[in-house]
Amino acid sequence: MELSETIRIAVSPTKVFELVDDPARYHEFFVGVTRWEPRSKKLRGVGAKFRVLMQVGSIQAGGTVKVIERTRPKLIRWESEQGIHQAGCWRLEKVDDGTDLTLDIEFDLSGGPLGALVARLAGRIVARNMWATLMAARRIVENED
């Protein structure tokens, strides 16, 4: 399942990137993510690894992800190395009145008809969490600016 949400933030992409490029701050705004713990000496940028768990209803799902692409101040992309298939991306685009921040999340809960039902239900929860995440990120960076 692939999900994408975008929000406009009234600050520069550089300011927004400072927030999303700092995994140590994810607990402040990444709604539904219960763990984003370093699994490598590198804490930022390509090659950084993290144990990621997301609360989806009554379960926590996740595994280890690795940052595979980072272009300042436009993009941070990660994908799973272990655990359930998951991938994500922060995309930032400069607009006249600030920045469009997009969060893309992809996950796979395979397993036949039951897996498809679980994926649809999980998708609704994850989509709500993504929107709440973007709202929280906007509140943080606009207040810090």
Side-chain angles (χ1 to χ4, degrees), residues 2-18:
E2 295 179 20
L3 303 168
S4 185
E5 296 286 346
T6 301
I7 196 167
R8 181 141 309 160
I9 303 177
V11 299
S12 72
T14 302
K15 293 283 185 187
V16 178
F17 193 83
E18 287 175 14

Side-chain angles (χ1 to χ4, degrees), residues 1 84-85 107-120:
M1 176 164 287
I84 67 164
H85 168 73
F107 60 92
D108 181 18
L109 301 172
S110 28
L114 183 57
L117 174 62
V118 170
R120 278 198 312 276

Side-chain angles (χ1 to χ4, degrees), residues 9-22 25 29 44 72-74 76 92-94 98-101 136-145:
I9 303 177
V11 299
S12 72
T14 302
K15 293 283 185 187
V16 178
F17 193 83
E18 287 175 14
L19 179 67
V20 299
D21 189 42
D22 187 357
R25 294 192 67 188
F29 67 96
R44 291 186 190 186
R72 180 181 284 274
K74 296 183 181 229
I76 301 169
L92 297 86
E93 182 179 347
K94 182 172 179 26
T99 303
D100 279 349
L101 175 62
R138 177 169 67 185
R139 186 178 60 253
I140 289 169
V141 294
E142 286 182 350
N143 286 332
E144 288 179 353
D145 192 51

